Amino acid sequence: MYVRTFSLRDFRSWEAVSVDLQPGATVFVGRNGYGKTNLLEALGYLSTLSSHRVASDAPLLRAGTTRAFAAAQVVNAGRELGIDIEILEGKANRARINQSPARRPREILGILRTVLFAPEDLSLVRGDPGDRRRYLDELLTTRFPRMSGVRADYDKVLRQRSALLKTAGGALRRGTRSSDGTSALATLDVWDGHLAAHGSELLAARLELLHALTPHVTEAYRSIAPESRPASLRYRSSLGDALPEEFSDPGRVPAPDDREFLETVFLHRLAESRTKEIERGVCLVGPHRDDLELILGDHAAKGYASHGESWSFALALRLGAFALLRTDGTDPVLMLDDVFAELDRRRRTALAEVAASAEQVLITAAVPEDVPDELSGARFPVDVEDTENGRTSVLGSVQWPHAQPVGSSDE
């Protein structure tokens, strides 16, 4: 898979840009703050419908505008598809496939598969559980786009059930002795069923993903840091003791009836937690409270891993995801955002070896010297200029640091 061309309009610092790409390595070179990361962010958004830098869409719109646009032509196994998305201020975003409007933006998911490694990925090891849940769910929806709908349904039910807990707390605390309490408890029973149905499907999918992903992450970490303790993954569920311990073991082979079993356990755990949830006014059970535990040897990486080990684990998570997506039969586009300058020689070499084997790798760097020689492909300088609409990013003409690519001509 590779991106043949992509374009942006009013996205972050880019007023307008269009760039033609080829398979192999492409490097965007420019000073920090010049907008090169915004290019990869836009392609990542087309792939996942989210940004790796911010939680909302508002910062993606260029200052003073009310909409942004991103588009790409994606080639996969000889088939080419065009996708684009319009990000609108205060309105639902709009997407198209080959110029035809999609009913929902998530219909473009799966057409462009990307894996992005960025300095922010250190938070996967040192940050909050939400960062690791997001890592799992983005990889999940990349492999199985329909899971985006499951996630959306779960989030919707979670918001509605949480609102019920907050606004009807008094009636719920009075219980069935009042008509309001009877009604509130009956309504809560309904939402419990919805939450368990969608939540068990999401949880079962995460556990299946963990089973497939863990060997790739373990091997990637071993190749990056062979002298370190072995790395592994473990799922920590908010279902607690109600969930058999073996379900958290990534070596366990998922069973066809997992979802039904998990839904039953989910409902049991919700019943156990009802009093506490009413007291606190929040949903305490569900995938939104779970964590992906990163293990080095016998200890959690968070709090025990050194700075170098943390970087190695973050890199292993991305390389593991890349390797897993490859097993589905096509290479995702690998995007490396200004990371070579952050890595020591061994980690640079390990990353460069994988990147050199990818069908397409897009790299940003502050200076050309940050990029290993084996990735010295097409190079685009990124600069800024002051216009009547403020400072904007501009893209220079393609450069080739060495010989022209095979098949090119000076004529």
Side-chain angles (χ1 to χ4, degrees):
M1 174 181 292
Y2 67 94
V3 176
R4 186 177 63 80
T5 182
F6 81 95
S7 58
L8 305 178
R9 187 170 64 247
D10 292 328
F11 187 96
R12 292 271 196 185
S13 59
W14 294 90
E15 185 174 8
V17 65
S18 181
V19 57
D20 295 325
L21 300 172
Q22 297 181 358
T26 298
V27 184
F28 299 98
V29 182
R31 295 182 182 180
N32 293 333
Y34 274 23
K36 57 188 186 295
T37 293
N38 301 341
L39 298 171
L40 302 192
E41 183 182 24
L43 284 173
Y45 193 94
L46 283 168
S47 174
T48 65
L49 297 182
S50 64
S51 162
H52 72 288
R53 302 159 78 188
V54 292
S56 68
D57 289 348
L60 306 182
L61 278 62
R62 192 169 62 85
T65 65
T66 59
R67 63 187 63 201
F69 179 83
Q73 292 292 125
V74 183
V75 180
N76 186 11
R79 182 189 182 200
E80 184 166 336
L81 285 175
I83 55 175
D84 62 67
I85 192 160
E86 189 176 21
I87 305 169
L88 301 167
E89 181 181 42
K91 299 179 182 178
N93 296 338
R94 294 194 289 254
R96 297 185 300 175
I97 302 174
N98 283 343
Q99 303 297 315
S100 297
R103 289 177 300 172
R104 301 181 183 89
R106 65 173 180 255
E107 290 182 8
I108 71 173
L109 290 172
I111 295 176
L112 172 60
R113 289 183 165 198
T114 63
V115 173
L116 171 66
F117 182 49
E120 290 86 352
D121 283 341
L122 201 58
S123 67
L124 291 174
V125 182
R126 296 183 169 180
D128 296 330
D131 296 317
R132 293 179 286 278
R133 289 194 297 267
R134 179 179 174 181
Y135 162 80
L136 276 181
D137 289 344
E138 286 188 350
L139 179 55
L140 186 62
T141 54
T142 296
R143 296 191 76 202
F144 308 109
R146 75 169 194 86
M147 291 305 300
S148 175
V150 175
R151 289 176 60 196
D153 289 341
Y154 178 80
D155 290 341
K156 180 180 179 181
V157 171
L158 178 64
R159 288 193 299 270
Q160 291 172 321
R161 186 175 184 273
S162 298
L164 175 63
L165 287 170
K166 290 177 181 177
T167 60
L172 290 170
R173 281 190 289 271
R174 289 193 295 271
T176 56
R177 295 182 179 180
S178 69
S179 58
D180 288 345
T182 301
S183 175
L185 288 171
T187 304
L188 188 58
D189 284 338
V190 173
W191 288 117
D192 282 359
H194 293 319
L195 193 73
H198 297 305
S200 60
E201 186 172 2
L202 178 56
L203 177 55
R206 283 183 182 176
L207 293 173
E208 185 173 356
L209 175 65
L210 189 65
H211 173 74
L213 174 65
T214 299
H216 295 291
V217 173
T218 298
E219 174 57 25
Y221 188 86
R222 187 201 60 77
S223 67
I224 297 166
E227 77 291 344
S228 182
R229 297 161 289 174
S232 61
L233 306 176
R234 185 169 60 214
Y235 195 86
R236 182 166 60 81
S237 172
S238 58
L239 298 182
D241 295 339
L243 185 69
E245 186 177 352
E246 61 265 23
F247 271 78
S248 298
D249 180 3
R252 174 187 175 275
V253 179
D257 60 350
D258 277 358
R259 184 189 174 282
E260 290 77 11
F261 175 79
L262 290 171
E263 184 173 356
T264 300
V265 174
F266 206 136
L267 286 168
H268 175 71
R269 189 73 178 92
L270 285 171
E272 287 185 334
S273 304
R274 174 166 291 188
T275 300
K276 187 179 294 185
E277 287 189 323
I278 292 171
E279 291 174 350
R280 297 179 59 177
V282 294
C283 293
L284 300 175
V285 179
H288 65 289
R289 306 281 295 195
D290 295 353
D291 194 6
L292 173 64
E293 294 186 328
L294 314 181
I295 309 298
L296 279 179
D298 297 326
H299 298 284
K302 184 177 181 180
Y304 284 91
S306 67
H307 183 71
E309 288 174 328
S310 297
W311 264 115
S312 293
F313 217 137
L315 178 55
L317 288 170
R318 293 303 184 189
L319 294 184
F322 182 78
L324 177 60
L325 291 174
R326 271 183 156 176
T327 66
D328 293 336
T330 186
D331 275 17
V333 177
L334 184 60
M335 302 193 296
L336 308 175
D337 181 24
D338 206 16
V339 293
F340 285 109
E342 300 282 351
L343 304 176
D344 60 22
R345 179 176 298 179
R346 175 180 291 172
R347 295 176 180 87
R348 284 165 57 97
T349 300
L351 180 56
E353 288 177 353
V354 174
S357 71
E359 184 171 3
Q360 186 177 56
V361 55
L362 307 178
I363 304 165
T364 67
V367 294
E369 292 74 22
D370 285 343
V371 182
D373 290 340
E374 54 265 48
L375 297 175
S376 56
R379 184 178 297 165
F380 288 92
V382 177
D383 208 335
V384 294
E385 65 179 20
D386 293 319
T387 70
E388 60 182 9
N389 295 321
R391 173 167 285 196
T392 62
S393 299
V394 293
L395 194 67
S397 300
V398 63
Q399 303 171 356
W400 295 94
H402 302 301
Q404 289 283 331
V406 175
S408 66
S409 172
D410 294 330
E411 299 180 355

